[in-house]
Amino acid sequence: MSAVHGVVILADQRYEAPIIQAIQSRADALAIVRRCADLAEVIAAARAGVADLAVIDGADPDLTAEAVGALREAGMEVIALAQHAERLRLSALGVASVAAPASPEQVVNSLIAATRTRRSQPATASSPPPPPPTSAGSVLAVWGTSGAPGRTTLAAGIATMLAARAPTILIDADTSNPTLSHLLGLPVHASGLSVLARAASRGALTPEDLAGACVPRSEGLRIVTGLVTPHRWREVSRTSIEAIIAAARLSARYSVIDLAATSLEKASRGANRDDVALGVLARADRLVVVARGDIVGVNRLSFLARWWEEHGREIPVDVIVNRVTSDAIGPRPVAALQAAIGAFMPGHIFHTVSEDGGVGRASLRAKALGEKGAGCLAADELEAIVAQWVPTL
């Protein structure tokens, strides 16, 4: 005997009654369990497990990619009610199918098809996307430990140096301490990241959307500024940052994404400040881990390395120990770092960037390492590191 699937409905009153009647005619497979007043009630029904199918008005302003993602995470598939012209937009949000609201039979057929799809293709909670096409650009995530090791400074420098070789986008996705605008003297009253996140919640992002949200820095470098204030981190979800990454791949040869240090705690249900960083880490092609060059920084790097070994992916990982000085590590800093890091990352090659007053002087003039007027030892060392990466990016 086949299972009966619970259905909730959130539709315009003009179409609701005929659709309900059509669903009730298929009592062998479908059962209306709730008529919802808003999308929050639909999500509540999904999380309570009372229904696994939803019929929702495609014009509902709350029907975003995040909302559909929340429903699918709870095990519910969505049939959106809309005309054919809206099909592409709604499909991009992740709905199972789109049905004409004035055609109850089409709605029922779509619901039945969704039940068959669920049986033949069991959902996987975190199935990775297919690899990007070879023509797509590379995405570098700049991550690292807490304690201000210099992630943003190095991310800006890496992007600047890559931009001298090919078109590059630099994205401030640090939801804890977004400082890229301050570092580079850019306007801080508007957030390109928020603009793109809102656009992603309404449909697929295009390279044109990304270009419109960027601030040009040089001929080869465009910048997506970060959140205006950290407390607005909920404006950007994991779903939206993944959409932004997809658009960035099609917009530039290189995309460099500055991330916050994460809590390294087990992911929990519901929105989490770490979601954006975890979304980037799940989609990046290369990971650059930044640690501070002292005993505290190396200790924090050991925790991060252990977390990545358990939860990370098989992608190239480059470690940069930043702000290295003999005052903090001893007269032979590289040898000391090799001994310390080798204890928990045996055989892993790391790079070093020296503590350099020139970095502070460049920052005071709102210059990134690699820009004219920001020359110093640290910039030269970072340029040598980037030059090593380029052939494999």
Side-chain angles (χ1 to χ4, degrees):
M1 181 176 179
S2 60
V4 175
H5 297 262
V7 182
V8 296
I9 184 167
L10 174 60
D12 188 298
Q13 290 184 349
R14 294 175 296 171
Y15 307 113
E16 186 180 66
I19 292 174
I20 290 175
Q21 290 177 358
I23 292 172
Q24 289 174 334
S25 70
R26 287 301 310 268
D28 60 314
L30 306 171
I32 287 286
V33 297
R34 188 172 298 175
R35 296 165 64 187
C36 298
D38 54 33
L39 200 61
E41 192 174 351
V42 176
I43 294 174
R47 290 176 174 168
V50 300
D52 60 352
L53 296 170
V55 177
I56 301 176
D57 186 349
D60 191 311
D62 294 326
L63 187 64
T64 65
E66 286 81 4
V68 175
L71 291 170
R72 297 191 68 180
E73 184 180 354
M76 179 177 280
E77 294 291 346
V78 176
I79 308 303
L81 300 176
Q83 302 303 324
H84 183 78
E86 290 291 296
R87 188 176 300 273
L88 288 178
R89 178 184 70 83
L90 291 166
S91 295
L93 299 183
V95 303
S97 61
V98 179
S103 177
E105 296 80 8
Q106 187 179 12
V107 175
V108 169
N109 290 339
S110 296
L111 288 168
I112 297 297
T115 67
R116 291 169 180 163
T117 301
R118 289 171 63 86
R119 286 198 299 268
S120 61
Q121 297 179 350
T124 55
S126 57
S127 57
T134 56
S135 59
S138 297
V139 175
L140 287 77
V142 181
W143 188 43
T145 67
S146 58
R151 290 185 305 275
T152 300
T153 299
L154 293 190
I158 291 168
T160 299
M161 294 167 187
L162 289 173
R165 296 167 168 86
T168 300
I169 292 173
L170 173 60
I171 301 174
D172 186 350
D174 186 333
T175 55
S176 296
N177 295 289
T179 53
L180 193 60
S181 294
H182 298 82
L183 178 70
L184 300 180
L186 301 174
V188 297
H189 59 276
S191 168
L193 190 69
S194 294
V195 169
L196 289 172
R198 286 194 295 271
S201 72
R202 300 300 179 190
L205 285 179
T206 66
E208 290 74 24
D209 294 326
L210 196 72
C214 285
V215 176
R217 181 68 174 184
S218 66
E219 183 177 351
L221 180 61
R222 293 176 289 162
I223 298 175
V224 176
T225 55
L227 299 175
V228 174
T229 59
H231 76 271
R232 294 172 63 174
W233 61 270
R234 289 181 178 83
E235 293 181 4
V236 189
S237 67
R238 179 161 179 166
T239 302
S240 60
I241 194 64
E242 290 175 352
I244 292 169
I245 291 172
R249 287 189 189 279
L250 302 177
S251 302
R253 177 63 183 85
Y254 304 115
S255 297
V256 179
I257 307 180
D258 180 24
L259 299 179
T262 53
S263 64
L264 305 183
E265 296 177 353
K266 184 178 180 180
S268 57
R269 293 181 68 89
N272 186 292
R273 189 184 286 273
D274 289 342
D275 286 348
V276 169
L278 295 175
V280 176
L281 293 174
R283 297 295 184 266
D285 303 309
R286 194 180 196 113
L287 176 59
V288 180
V289 175
V290 182
R292 199 174 71 199
D294 58 26
I295 190 169
V296 174
V298 171
N299 182 57
R300 288 171 174 166
L301 176 62
S302 70
F303 294 130
L304 185 148
R306 190 177 305 121
W307 184 93
W308 184 257
E309 184 177 356
E310 295 176 359
H311 304 283
R313 301 159 48 230
E314 289 294 328
I315 59 173
V317 177
D318 293 282
V319 175
I320 298 181
V321 183
N322 192 31
R323 307 182 64 179
V324 174
T325 171
S326 58
D327 293 333
I329 305 178
R332 300 176 59 216
V334 174
L337 288 169
Q338 285 176 335
I341 295 175
F344 55 85
M345 299 179 75
H348 193 96
I349 298 174
F350 61 90
H351 310 275
T352 61
V353 174
S354 301
E355 178 75 63
D356 187 349
V359 176
R361 290 190 292 273
S363 178
L364 187 61
R365 298 192 298 273
K367 296 286 187 180
L369 297 181
E371 288 187 318
K372 186 177 181 180
C376 59
L377 174 60
D380 292 341
E381 291 172 337
L382 186 60
E383 172 62 45
I385 294 169
V386 172
Q388 292 179 37
W389 295 341
V390 168
T392 59
L393 289 179

